[in-house]
Amino acid sequence: MAKEKFVMKNWNGTSWDTLYPRTDGESVYMDGYVKPGQGGAVVAADSLNAAVGKLEKGLDAKQNAIGYTPENTANKGKANGYAGLDASGKLPSSLLPQSSGGGLNYKGTLDASAGYPSAPETGDFYIVAAAGTISGTKYNTGDWAVYNGTAAGWAKIDNTDEVASVNGMTGAVELAGANLAMTGYTKPAAAGAVTAADTVNAAVGKLEKGLEGKQAAGNYVVSNGAMTAGTKTKITYDGKGLVTGGGDATAADVKMTGYVKATAEADITGADTVMEALGKVERKTDGKVSGNAAITAGTGTRITFDAKGLVTKGENAAGTDIKVGSYAKGTGAVTAADTVSEAIGKVEAKADAKARITVAAAEPAGAATGDFWYQTV
């Protein structure tokens, strides 16, 4: 719809009071605006047009006062350009002059399997990123290759501390039982407890010596015939305490010997035995109501129930099911403590006193105190 200019007025019972409403910027227009011949300070007496005119005039000629040429970022880090700073506010090492005559110059990483770099200069060094052997010198990842400028050319700085061999094996060695031999082993004269200070030979010797004579002394149980392993709740065992069979327990396997119904209702706890828990449940069922025929579950605001207090039917209540009851118009705002009747009474009383709002160019007839008139102009 088209935007309207209007004056908001309120009827005080005798005449219309003119109000000054807040409005959004897009509803305010610069009708009749002309930029003034000169600027000046904005004062409280200025109209919006006058204030904007002073500001616009004051901004004239400001552009020519800048007076500087910004640096071309394309020249950053380039010859005849400028160095520029890194994220820490320092010059990047790549822009610093390379040393000569004895200094080290880091040139990057090296794939040793591809050989030495060509055309090196004295002090150039590379960190090995891929292992390999060059001219008989083995380089591992992390070693340095340094060009010393002599006839020998390259030197290696070993940074890996690689072990020469383990049990005759080199590289990433993983020892298994088959790689270890009991060289020099002798069974000891007496058994004893294995300690952390024992060698493998000494520990095995103590165990071997400790096992001697066990069968004659009868200190262990000889197993029965093989059986199928498993997890069961009912087992059969022999005179040695060895399981000879297993199956699943049934209710017939559990007897209620010593059962007594609880004397008072109480909740079951984790410390109860099964019989104590059943006794509490049985006590709680005393005098309980048996359910009626099944009904469709649901949520309803109107229910039908029987003499036992059981719901036999549920549905949604209609307006005719709810009566206003004791009712009178009230005063004040509705609160959480109000009944529905009290809340309706307060709302009805407020509705009686509501002001009328009219939007028109002409003055509305029959105005009452509190009415608003938006006069369009």
Side-chain angles (χ1 to χ4, degrees):
M1 60 181 290
K3 290 182 172 62
E4 296 280 359
K5 293 189 291 184
F6 61 87
V7 178
M8 188 168 70
K9 299 183 178 183
N10 177 248
W11 183 258
N12 61 18
T14 304
S15 61
W16 291 100
D17 292 330
T18 300
L19 307 177
Y20 298 91
R22 283 181 69 177
T23 186
D24 56 83
E26 65 178 10
S27 299
V28 180
Y29 294 87
M30 302 290 290
D31 292 346
Y33 174 75
V34 177
K35 184 169 70 173
Q38 63 182 18
V42 177
V43 298
D46 287 339
S47 66
L48 180 61
N49 282 9
V52 173
K54 288 180 179 180
L55 295 175
E56 184 181 16
K57 189 63 180 178
L59 287 173
D60 289 349
K62 291 296 183 183
Q63 181 68 32
N64 296 333
I66 295 178
Y68 74 90
T69 301
E71 183 62 62
N72 186 351
T73 56
N75 295 329
K76 182 177 180 181
K78 302 295 178 62
N80 296 322
Y82 65 98
L85 303 179
D86 60 18
S88 63
K90 300 178 182 178
L91 284 174
S93 60
S94 61
L95 299 180
L96 297 175
Q98 298 292 329
S99 62
S100 59
L104 290 176
N105 300 320
Y106 174 61
K107 305 297 287 185
T109 58
L110 173 66
D111 180 356
S113 65
Y116 291 120
S118 60
E121 296 182 0
T122 301
D124 287 354
F125 77 95
Y126 296 80
I127 297 178
V128 176
T133 301
I134 310 175
S135 301
T137 300
K138 181 181 179 182
Y139 287 92
N140 292 312
T141 301
D143 291 341
W144 287 16
V146 183
Y147 186 72
N148 56 27
T150 66
W154 293 88
K156 170 187 174 183
I157 297 179
D158 191 341
N159 289 320
T160 56
D161 295 328
E162 183 183 70
V163 177
S165 68
V166 176
N167 199 28
M169 296 180 285
T170 61
V173 176
E174 291 186 13
L175 292 175
N179 302 124
L180 300 175
M182 299 293 288
T183 304
Y185 173 74
T186 302
K187 185 172 64 175
V194 177
T195 67
D198 287 339
T199 64
V200 174
N201 282 10
V204 172
K206 288 180 178 180
L207 295 175
E208 183 181 17
K209 188 64 179 177
L211 288 173
E212 289 182 347
K214 290 297 183 182
Q215 180 149 359
N219 292 329
Y220 71 96
V221 176
V222 178
S223 66
N224 293 324
M227 57 180 293
T228 302
T231 301
K232 299 297 181 180
T233 54
K234 178 182 178 182
I235 61 171
T236 303
Y237 51 91
D238 63 14
K240 302 174 184 177
L242 295 177
V243 175
T244 58
D248 294 324
T250 65
D253 295 312
V254 182
K255 307 299 182 182
M256 298 292 291
T257 305
Y259 173 74
V260 177
K261 183 170 67 173
T263 57
E265 288 193 10
D267 291 335
I268 296 171
T269 69
D272 289 339
T273 64
V274 173
M275 287 195 296
E276 289 171 338
L278 289 173
K280 290 181 178 180
V281 171
E282 186 181 13
R283 173 58 68 185
K284 283 190 174 185
T285 60
D286 289 348
K288 294 299 185 288
V289 176
S290 298
N292 291 327
I295 64 172
T296 302
T299 301
T301 54
R302 182 172 183 264
I303 62 171
T304 303
F305 50 91
D306 63 14
K308 301 175 183 177
L310 297 178
V311 175
T312 58
K313 182 181 180 182
E315 56 192 341
N316 289 325
T320 55
D321 294 314
I322 301 175
K323 307 299 181 183
V324 174
S326 178
Y327 174 77
K329 288 185 181 179
T331 58
V334 176
T335 69
D338 289 339
T339 65
V340 174
S341 294
E342 290 168 339
I344 292 175
K346 290 180 179 180
V347 172
E348 184 181 17
K350 283 188 174 182
D352 292 342
K354 285 295 179 287
R356 183 178 55 174
I357 299 175
T358 304
V359 180
E363 178 181 343
T369 301
D371 284 356
F372 287 91
W373 169 30
Y374 288 82
Q375 182 183 19
T376 57
V377 297

